[in-house]
């Protein structure tokens, strides 16, 4: 049990965690960089402590400072949010060794799932379907690499075992490119993630990204909370997410959801987590597990009514999940648009001070944002500034409500991608639903071509 939680994050997710803590009567500690002393959750927290200058490498990523902040303030638990140290097994181990509670799975579970090769092996053992591939690290000798690739088949994708954030991947179309691509990806993986191990997968040509949200407690209970379709991506970064996934049969979702629950129990997973799948020709292929709360968790909250962050806190306190699987059903449809501080068409990051901020309202609309007039947007952190979530009885109603909400939303002082969202919501592919992970990139390059001609 604990009654004081340190929030080891910033921005919208820190505010989200603060809200969940308060709804459970918990005390909160905010840690902040010099650039963030005026953030909303810092002002609202019961206590707050500065942990360093603006760059994350000198503040939010410094494990010892966060542990020290917990000791100084008497916080007994740490919520990592997403990004930063949320999937860092060393950090979680240090928390465990300091007899504090990490609000998330054990360091061992994070280490297993953080390495994509061991994660896939654990999933195969638990009966979860994976993208066919090397089933382990790519071998060392050239002849073995060639042999391994022939079995996988072309096109294939070489991926870093320690990769994340859409980096450390390379598509290989023919054998002549293979050895060079393996060497390059190993070098890049070593430089970016300190781990040169790579593996191979068949490259799926036009899949959708469909993921399953799970929650598990310390008493052997695990549940799945439906799915999210996150196929609207640019450069492997999600832009719009929705639940349920349009046009995917409930039977096949049900089967995969149950397999995820089984896998959680098999690996002794505790907390919130997401199993990410590629979905092609009515088949699911596991690609990775995220061992933390995700940016897109609100769409699941809107269709299930479950407060995922509050459940994370309950489970970490040793309480059982407050809901059982038979109480989970999806009601209506929810869509989330990620509003980034960037030019809607060139995608160049935008900075400045918020001169006006007017969030939308109305039935089914939810806003997650740390913005306020006077907020200074800098280049130090992620460009996500707000999430707009629209819920409706049907997908069409959710889209219409989202359109109205975006037309009301005012963020002045720097550029945002609101116009891009407004355009995407009108494209026939989005309106129809079920487009694959490449459709947005195709749309954008066609759009650019049209404007040049
Ligand atoms: P990361 O951890 O870096 O996000 P993922 O394994 O989740 O890496 O893959 C990110 C994205 O890369 C996927 O959403 C998909 O767009 C693409 N991708 C990954 N593996 C494959 C594959 N085998 N075939 C086709 N696309 C893939």
């Amino acid at each position: 049990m604990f009654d004081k939680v340190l929030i080891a994050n910033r921005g919208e997710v820190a505010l989200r965690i603060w809200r969940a803590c308060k709804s459970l009567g918990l005390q909160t500690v905010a840690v902040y960089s010099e650039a963030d002393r005026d953030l909303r959750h810092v002002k609202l927290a019961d206590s707050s402590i500065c942990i360093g200058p603006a760059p994350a490498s000198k503040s939010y990523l410094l494990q010892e400072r966060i542990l020290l902040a917990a000791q100084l303030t008497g916080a007994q638990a740490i919520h990592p949010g997403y990004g930063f140290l949320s999937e860092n097994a060393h950090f979680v181990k240090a928390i465990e060794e300091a007899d504090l509670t990490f609000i998330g799975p054990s360091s061992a579970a994070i280490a297993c799932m953080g390495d994509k090769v061991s994660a896939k092996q654990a999933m195969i053992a638990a009966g979860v379907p994976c993208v066919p591939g090397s089933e382990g690290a790519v071998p060392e000798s050239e002849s073995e690499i060639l042999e391994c690739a022939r079995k996988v088949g072309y096109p294939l994708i070489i991926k870093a075992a320690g990769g994340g954030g859409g980096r450390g991947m390379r598509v290989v179309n023919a054998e002549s490119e293979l050895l060079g691509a393996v060497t390059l990806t190993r070098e890049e993986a070593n430089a970016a993630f300190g781990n040169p191990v790579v593996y191979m997968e068949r490259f799926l040509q036009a899949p959708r990204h469909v993921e399953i949200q799970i929650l598990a407690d310390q008493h052997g209970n695990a549940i799945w909370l439906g799915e999210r379709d996150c196929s609207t991506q640019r450069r492997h970064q999600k832009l719009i997410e929705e639940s349920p996934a349009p046009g995917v049969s409930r039977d096949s979702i049900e089967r995969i959801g149950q397999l995820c629950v089984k896998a959680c129990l098999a690996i002794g997973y505790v907390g919130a987590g997401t199993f990410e799948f590629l979905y092609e020709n009515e088949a699911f292929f596991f690609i990775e597990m995220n061992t933390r709360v995700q940016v897109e968790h609100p769409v699941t909250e809107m269709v299930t009514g479950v407060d995922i962050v509050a459940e994370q806190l309950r489970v970490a306190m040793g309480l059982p999940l407050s809901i059982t699987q038979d109480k989970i059903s999806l009601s209506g449809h929810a869509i989330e648009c990620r509003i980034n501080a960037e030019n809607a068409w060139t995608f160049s990051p935008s900075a400045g001070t918020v001169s006006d901020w007017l969030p939308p309202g109305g039935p089914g609309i939810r806003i997650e944002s740390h913005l306020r007039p006077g907020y200074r947007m800098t280049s130090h952190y992620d460009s996500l500034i707000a999430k707009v979530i629209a819920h409706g009885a049907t997908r069409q109603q959710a889209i219409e409500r989202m359109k109205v909400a975006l037309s009301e939303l005012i963020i002045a002082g720097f550029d945002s991608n609101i116009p891009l969202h407004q355009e995407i919501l009108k494209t026939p592919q989005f309106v129809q639903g079920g487009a694959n992970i490449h459709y947005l990139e195709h749309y954008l390059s066609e759009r650019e071509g049209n404007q040049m001609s």
Side-chain angles (χ1 to χ4, degrees), residues 66-299:
I66 291 171
L67 282 166
L68 186 61
Q71 275 156 18
L72 290 173
T73 56
Q76 311 106 332
I78 298 182
H79 196 307
Y82 53 71
F84 294 137
L85 295 168
S86 60
E87 291 180 290
N88 185 313
H90 292 125
F91 177 56
V92 178
K93 187 126 200 4
I95 293 174
E96 291 164 353
E97 281 167 2
D99 269 336
L100 299 172
T101 302
F102 178 71
I103 298 167
S106 66
S107 58
I110 293 179
C112 174
M113 289 300 137
D115 181 296
K116 292 181 173 188
V117 169
S118 62
K120 268 188 90 167
Q121 282 164 345
M123 288 307 116
I124 291 167
V128 176
C130 294
V131 187
S134 54
E135 312 216 337
V138 166
E140 286 306 317
S141 84
E142 292 193 353
S143 60
E144 281 175 317
I145 299 176
L146 289 163
E147 176 58 23
C148 177
R150 273 182 213 130
K151 281 197 198 132
V152 174
Y154 294 92
L156 57 82
I157 182 165
I158 301 170
K159 298 170 74 170
R167 293 179 310 142
M169 286 183 275
R170 185 167 270 101
V171 178
V172 178
N173 288 301
E175 193 167 83
S176 57
E177 302 163 15
L178 179 69
L179 296 174
V182 168
T183 307
L184 261 182
T185 316
R186 276 183 176 149
E187 281 168 11
E188 282 171 8
N190 198 27
F193 316 111
N195 176 2
V197 173
V198 296
Y199 63 107
M200 271 181 217
E201 275 179 357
R202 192 195 315 147
F203 181 68
L204 304 180
Q205 309 272 337
R208 288 165 63 183
H209 176 118
V210 180
E211 58 188 33
I212 303 284
Q213 173 74 54
I214 61 91
L215 282 171
D217 66 20
Q218 300 178 30
H219 305 275
N221 304 306
I223 58 172
W224 66 285
L225 302 174
E227 78 283 15
R228 295 184 286 260
D229 186 328
C230 314
S231 302
T232 302
Q233 302 181 357
R234 178 178 168 269
R235 300 207 173 150
H236 304 308
Q237 301 288 326
K238 299 164 185 168
L239 200 62
I240 301 181
E241 301 97 346
E242 61 185 300
S243 182
V248 180
S249 86
R250 292 321 299 168
D251 276 358
S252 61
I253 294 274
E254 189 85 25
R255 266 199 306 277
I256 211 74
Q258 282 167 7
L259 278 177
C260 292
V261 165
K262 224 180 99 206
C264 275
L265 296 173
I267 60 175
Y269 191 87
V270 170
T274 301
F275 290 80
E276 294 195 332
F277 294 90
L278 294 178
Y279 175 79
E280 193 174 68
N281 299 328
E282 290 169 34
F284 285 90
F285 302 97
F286 171 84
I287 46 171
E288 68 162 339
M289 182 178 195
N290 286 321
T291 55
R292 53 173 169 81
V293 70
Q294 285 187 291
V295 175
E296 60 271 28
H297 76 277
V299 291

Side-chain angles (χ1 to χ4, degrees), residues 9-15 30-45 48 60 84 369-372 374-377 381:
N9 216 299
R10 68 176 302 283
E12 67 88 20
V13 73
L15 189 54
V31 292
Y32 61 92
S33 76
E34 283 163 11
D36 280 345
R37 60 179 75 244
D38 292 331
L39 279 185
R40 187 105 183 91
H41 82 281
V42 176
K43 302 277 179 213
L44 290 166
S48 61
Y60 297 106
F84 294 137
S369 177
H370 54 292
L371 289 195
R372 55 169 177 79
Y375 174 79
R376 267 182 55 75
M377 180 71 208
Y381 311 112

Side-chain angles (χ1 to χ4, degrees), residues 232-235 237-239 338 340-350 383 415-421 423-424 440-441 443-445 447-448:
T232 302
Q233 302 181 357
R234 178 178 168 269
R235 300 207 173 150
Q237 301 288 326
K238 299 164 185 168
L239 200 62
R338 295 190 189 194
N340 297 329
E342 64 192 15
N343 182 286
W345 312 116
T346 64
F347 301 97
S348 57
S350 187
S383 62
D415 289 342
S416 85
N417 62 354
I418 297 171
L420 171 62
H421 282 293
E423 213 173 283
I424 295 173
L440 180 60
E441 300 258 13
Y443 173 79
L444 290 169
S445 58
R447 185 181 189 282
E448 200 175 325

